[in-house]
Structures are given as structure tokens and as C-alpha cells.
Amino acid sequence: MRPVLAIARNTIREALRERIALVAVVFGLAMVIASQVLAPLALGEGKKIVTDFGLAGSSLLATMLAVTLGTSLLHKELERRTIYSVMAKPVRRTEFLIGKFLGLWSTGAALLAVTTLMVLAVLTVAYRDPSWILAGSLALTLVEIGIVTAFVVFFSSFTTPGLAAFFTVTSLVAGHFAEDLLYFGTHGAAPALEIATTAAYWVLPHLTVFNARGLVVHGTPVPPERILFAVAYGLLYMGALLTAASAIFERREFR
Amino acid sequence: MIALRAKARAVAPFAAAAALWCAASAVDAARPERRMGRSEELLYFPSGLWVRQASLGYETAAADLGWLRCIQYYGEHRMTDNRFDRIGHVTEIVQELDPRFDQPTIFGAFVLGQEMGRPEAGLALLRRGLERNPESWQLAFEIGFLYYVCFDDHAAAARYFAMASRLPGHPDYVERFAAFAFQRAGEREMAILLWKRVLATGNKYMQEVARREIERLGGDPA
């Protein structure tokens, strides 16, 4: 466990060197400006719009950060050959991969938490309404960012940064259409297509499970059982992706 | 020669900027919206179902953008030709994207019913909204409102007010309206009361219309 934590710590340090704190500052400024500019234009729906854009923005930023940082960090280790010095120590490749994953997830989670707190602060100051129910949506998005990070690590374990980013984004987009795929496959399609779409349905991540923004913007708290289910599903999915990633990474030859 | 070249180099960026500006103006003039009438400007606004798929889980934020576009559309036409042919289309997209976002549906129905003289279209929009969000007391109340004010159908109005009074989150006045409507209390007074509620809760555009209607009925908006 100690090597995993050391690698995770190092990954966070490396990510911080990329000045991601600036992203949070820019987001905070954008939130404050949006709350002042959009509210009068929204004819009384300013709070809803600021909450919506704030939550969507923080989730998008954390996803983009996970994809861009994740694909480049693992590649840099191989490019600069720093991975050799790590592998020379009693560290297994699986531990290295899990350490990278935990470091990246923590960084994405920290950015997400900070930006969501900024949304909360703007709502409290501008609308005198500390919407604590945003915490439910935050919890689900944290797990979603974990799945995004697991995808990044999985694809980075065997391909180039550009392709890893492309495959990750494609998987996430396809994940949003998982239920539609099943619907089309099971409504009059050829039997082979039905099998293929059903298989795709089970393999693709069901990201709608983690989307509770539609609930919290209307003041409805996320039910605890939904959070529990999402966490269980997310952890299982991440576990499967990391197992596949480490199986590939163990066999990979470094040049 | 060298001086000439230096001058040309200095002028080149401005010439390029001017050429770009001319090209952009030409492209802008050729925009399909320019050729279309004002009533057709939102003809190609995508359907709610399409936007829902394309929004990749950010459908409530997409609904907000639709709402902002709806207000912009209404404001533009309010200041020019007072025609709001596409308001129903835009508000329905917002409804499809975020069924619990009631204000655009109420506003759309209000504009259709009061500004365009098409209360049946407003009623249809509200009914679709209530189908998508059956827990909304506001939509049930607004249907009652339209029945009372535009169709003079007090029985239907009372039915919807009563429905609104059974839905969660309704304020006390909803029950009072239901009782008033059932008792067929003085119709003019009831209409003024309904308009006063719009004056107290609606947005600035709705308030303007409410004030006008109260004055028309001989009431005091203050």
C-alpha cells in the first residue's frame, strides 16, 4: 500500500505543477460574473441558471482535467524514462498504475469540490440560499470523475496520449447513449445486432446514474439509496477497468 | 524601395483586417436568417429530443440556454412587430429538456393565450407540461387560470384549481381560488384576483399584461 500512496502523492504534486489552481480561480470569477450578468436576463430564474451552469461547468472542467492530465502524465513517465527508476524499486506495475489512478482521481476530485464550493458560495451570497443539497450531486459526480479517470488510465496503459483521450471521450459519449442503444437493438433489429447492442449496453458506463443535477437544481435532495447504488456501481466499474489496465500494463514492453 | 516596403508592411495588417471585415459583412448579409422573415428565425431551432441527446447529460443547462433564447426572442418581437409565432416551439423544447422547469411553459402559455389570442395553444402547452411533470401545482393552477380567464369555463377552472390544491408545495391561496371558483363567486372579482396573483408572482412582461387587464376590469393594480 505504501508504494501506491507514494506514487499517488507524487502524481498530485506533478498535477499541481501544471497550475490547475488557476483553473479554479478562473471558474470562480466566471461564476461571480455569470451570477451578476445572467440573473437579470433570466426573468426571475437567475438562481436556477447559476446553479445549473455552475454544476455543469464544474463537472465539465473536472472531466477535461482528468482526460488531459491523465493522458499526458502516464505518457511523460514513459517518454522521460522516469518509469525505469520507479520500476527498479520494489514496486509492481499494478501498484504504479493504481497509484497514478488515485493521484489523478484525487486531483480531479479536489478541483470538483473546490468549484462546487464556489457555486455554493455564490448562491449563498447572491441569493441568500446555502443549497446544501448540492452535496448529493457532488458525491455522484465525484464517482463519475473516478470512472473517467479509470478510462484514461486504461487507455493510457496501451496507447498514445492522443488516442487515449479520443477513446476516453468516445467511451463517455457512448455511455450516454447506452440505453438508447439497447432500445434500438431490442426493437425490431436483426438478432446479431440485438446481441451486439445488448453487449454494448452492459459494457458501456451508465453515466446517467451519476447525473443528479436535474434533481438538485429544483431543490430535491438526492435519495441516499441512489448515492449508495451509484457508489457501488462506480467502484465495481473502476475495479474492472483497472484490472484490465493492469493486465495489459504488466505485459507491456517499455522501449 | 526599402521605405516603401516598410510602409507596405505597416499597412498590410490594416488592409487584411479591412478585407476580413468586408468578407464577414458579406457572409453576415448572406445568412439564411437575413433572407427569412422574422417569424421564421427559429424555424430550424432543433427539437427538444435532439437537444436532449446532444447535451450529453447537461440537459438542464441546455434548457436554461433555451429559456434565455426564449426571453430574447420575446423581447425582440415585443419591441418590433408583436408577433411571437415560435414562442410555443421554443418553450416546448425547454419543457422536453427539463420537465420540472415550469416557468418557460407558464410564460409560453401566457404569451400564446394573452398576446397572440390563441388560448387553446396555450392550454395544449400547459397540458403537455402537466403530463411531463404531474406533480406541478403551478401548471395545474395555470390551466385553471386559462379556463377561467380565456374560456369562461368556471367548472373546468375549479377542477384544475382543486387539482392544484391537492399537489405538493401549493400555497394557501390555491385552495381559496378553488373554493371561490366552485362557489362561482362574483366573476369579475375572481378574474381581478387571478390577475393580481400574476402581478405578484409573474415576471416583468407578465406583470405589464396583468396590470393592463386589472385596469380593463375596473380594478386597482396597486
Side-chain angles (χ1 to χ4, degrees):
Chain A
M1 196 62 190
R2 199 177 290 169
V4 171
L5 292 179
I7 291 166
R9 258 200 309 274
N10 207 40
T11 308
I12 296 170
R13 230 175 274 145
E14 228 175 311
L16 289 177
R17 255 183 249 137
E18 304 280 337
R19 301 211 166 91
I20 58 160
L22 267 180
V23 177
V25 173
V26 172
F27 178 85
L29 278 176
M31 279 305 302
V32 172
I33 294 168
S35 68
Q36 297 304 309
V37 173
L38 288 177
L41 296 177
L43 292 181
E45 296 300 320
K47 188 188 155 213
K48 194 239 177 211
I49 288 184
V50 169
T51 315
D52 256 340
F53 286 168
L55 291 181
S58 57
S59 151
L60 264 178
L61 270 181
T63 306
M64 278 160 57
L65 180 92
V67 173
T68 50
L69 264 186
T71 47
S72 65
L73 283 187
L74 203 66
H75 184 70
K76 270 185 202 163
E77 295 273 6
L78 298 167
E79 190 92 320
R80 293 176 188 162
R81 309 206 191 292
T82 44
I83 195 163
Y84 293 116
S85 55
V86 180
M87 291 297 134
K89 295 186 172 74
V91 177
R92 285 186 303 166
R93 289 187 182 193
T94 305
E95 289 174 331
F96 174 79
L97 216 58
I98 293 172
K100 279 276 163 206
F101 165 76
L102 285 179
L104 283 169
W105 189 12
S106 311
T107 312
L111 181 75
L112 188 73
V114 168
T115 48
T116 308
L117 275 176
M118 283 173 175
V119 177
L120 191 64
V122 168
L123 289 175
T124 310
V125 174
Y127 300 97
R128 308 272 181 274
D129 180 16
S131 302
W132 294 108
I133 52 169
L134 295 190
S137 169
L138 172 67
L140 294 184
T141 315
L142 283 175
V143 186
E144 186 181 4
I145 295 302
I147 289 188
V148 175
T149 313
F151 263 112
V152 169
V153 170
F154 171 71
F155 287 121
S156 299
S157 68
F158 62 87
T159 188
T160 57
L163 279 178
F166 174 75
F167 288 143
T168 305
V169 173
T170 308
S171 307
L172 299 180
V173 171
H176 281 286
F177 293 105
E179 279 170 26
D180 298 303
L181 263 179
L182 184 72
Y183 179 84
F184 289 124
T186 52
H187 283 73
L193 196 63
E194 189 181 335
I195 294 168
T197 50
T198 309
Y201 172 78
W202 287 107
V203 170
L204 288 171
H206 293 203
L207 298 179
T208 44
V209 169
F210 307 104
N211 184 2
R213 288 182 287 272
L215 283 181
V216 296
V217 292
H218 291 294
T220 310
V222 188
E225 63 272 19
R226 180 168 172 186
I227 297 179
L228 274 176
F229 171 77
V231 170
Y233 171 72
L235 290 178
L236 275 174
Y237 203 94
M238 284 181 238
L241 274 176
L242 291 176
T243 308
S246 55
I248 295 168
F249 202 59
E250 287 285 350
R251 283 165 186 75
R252 185 168 174 174
E253 280 189 26
F254 302 129
R255 272 173 281 167
Chain B
M1 192 64 183
I2 293 167
L4 204 65
R5 268 190 197 159
K7 268 185 191 164
R9 248 184 240 136
V11 172
F14 296 104
L20 270 174
W21 186 78
C22 290
S25 304
V27 170
D28 185 54
R31 252 170 40 191
E33 300 94 284
R34 295 258 183 225
R35 279 181 272 119
M36 282 186 236
R38 295 190 71 85
S39 63
E40 293 170 68
E41 70 207 78
L42 290 174
L43 194 61
Y44 299 105
F45 211 64
S47 78
L49 197 66
W50 190 90
V51 181
R52 173 176 277 279
Q53 298 292 0
S55 65
L56 297 174
Y58 296 103
E59 55 274 333
T60 53
D64 296 341
L65 288 175
W67 172 231
L68 291 174
R69 182 71 188 92
C70 174
I71 297 164
Q72 188 194 0
Y73 173 80
Y74 180 81
E76 274 169 18
H77 287 267
R78 182 75 186 262
M79 286 188 288
T80 52
D81 56 6
N82 263 317
R83 287 187 60 188
F84 312 101
D85 301 329
R86 298 277 153 205
I87 202 91
H89 177 52
V90 187
T91 46
E92 197 149 335
I93 291 167
V94 179
Q95 195 183 78
E96 165 88 39
L97 287 168
D98 188 354
R100 294 180 70 192
F101 191 12
D102 290 336
Q103 282 315 305
T105 302
I106 294 168
F107 182 66
F110 190 86
V111 174
L112 285 167
Q114 292 303 127
E115 304 272 65
M116 295 181 67
R118 290 174 53 205
E120 67 296 332
L123 196 60
L125 183 67
L126 284 169
R127 282 219 175 106
R128 278 193 295 277
L130 193 61
E131 273 169 33
R132 286 176 170 138
N133 184 15
E135 294 284 287
S136 169
W137 69 264
Q138 274 177 301
L139 293 178
F141 186 85
E142 295 300 328
I143 293 176
F145 174 90
L146 266 190
Y147 269 124
Y148 202 99
V149 172
C150 299
F151 295 97
D152 279 333
D153 186 344
H154 303 150
R159 233 179 17 252
Y160 278 98
F161 287 149
M163 180 199 271
S165 71
R166 286 193 299 270
L167 290 169
H170 71 273
D172 297 340
Y173 64 75
V174 175
E175 279 156 11
R176 284 204 298 276
F177 278 125
F180 272 136
F182 273 125
Q183 287 168 14
R184 308 270 179 106
E187 286 161 22
R188 190 180 136 274
E189 281 71 25
M190 178 67 178
I192 291 174
L193 270 177
L194 283 164
W195 282 117
K196 279 195 171 169
R197 193 196 68 87
V198 176
L199 196 62
T201 57
N203 64 46
K204 64 174 181 181
Y205 294 118
M206 294 164 89
Q207 284 169 345
E208 271 175 44
V209 177
R211 201 167 287 120
R212 198 174 65 208
E213 290 296 319
I214 293 169
E215 280 167 2
R216 195 175 60 80
L217 289 165
D220 179 15

